[in-house]
Amino acid sequence: MSTDTPIELCASAELSEGGLAVPFDVVYDGESCRAFAIRFEGRVHAYLNRCTHVAMELDWQPNRFFDDTGQWLLCASHGAVYAPDTGEGVAGPCQGGLVKIELIEADGTVRWQPTERLQPVVF
Ligand code: FES
């Protein structure tokens, strides 16, 4: 498969507004990483599951990234707050923004776009 062929991630219906994320695995700069996809204001977004404070996964409760308002992504470790649509750090001990992964939503399916730095896991 060509590295720039979008990779199927999930059905559109699996991503509800401000709801649980859909996790997936990627290789980022040669390192295996978890990633997650969410829906916010109708659009799908995905990021590496790696906080900018300490390189830890953000969710303690699996796939729960949104705060109670459904407006912000939270790191459960020390409370870094990220904007769901850009991944930009907006509060707490974050240092910069989350690594964004481009998604394509069409025909009821969400796919992610590999890049030179972001590759699919080869089993
Ligand atoms: S590891 Fe995320 S806020 Fe500290």
Side-chain angles (χ1 to χ4, degrees):
M1 183 190 301
S2 159
T3 54
D4 44 25
T5 303
I7 297 172
E8 193 162 327
L9 173 54
C10 65
S12 290
E14 290 179 59
L15 290 173
S16 60
E17 182 69 33
L20 291 180
V22 169
F24 59 110
D25 293 299
V26 297
V27 175
Y28 180 68
D29 283 347
E31 193 182 321
S32 295
C33 289
R34 302 285 285 159
F36 65 98
I38 45 114
R39 186 180 298 281
F40 180 68
E41 295 182 340
R43 302 193 61 172
V44 290
H45 304 277
Y47 303 98
L48 279 192
N49 188 357
R50 182 194 279 178
C51 190
T52 62
H53 176 222
V54 179
M56 295 173 64
E57 295 187 0
L58 284 80
D59 53 328
W60 271 348
Q61 293 181 52
N63 306 324
R64 185 172 295 279
F65 294 86
F66 277 105
D67 68 351
D68 289 344
T69 69
Q71 296 300 302
W72 303 103
L73 301 177
L74 277 187
C75 179
S77 291
H78 315 104
V81 180
Y82 298 95
D85 52 351
T86 62
E88 187 186 341
V90 293
C94 43
Q95 298 166 10
L98 300 174
V99 175
K100 195 166 176 65
I101 299 171
E102 189 187 342
L103 295 184
I104 300 148
E105 184 172 30
D107 304 323
T109 302
V110 178
R111 295 178 172 83
W112 68 275
Q113 179 65 61
T115 64
E116 204 170 304
R117 299 182 75 182
L118 267 168
Q119 292 289 310
V121 176
V122 178
F123 294 101

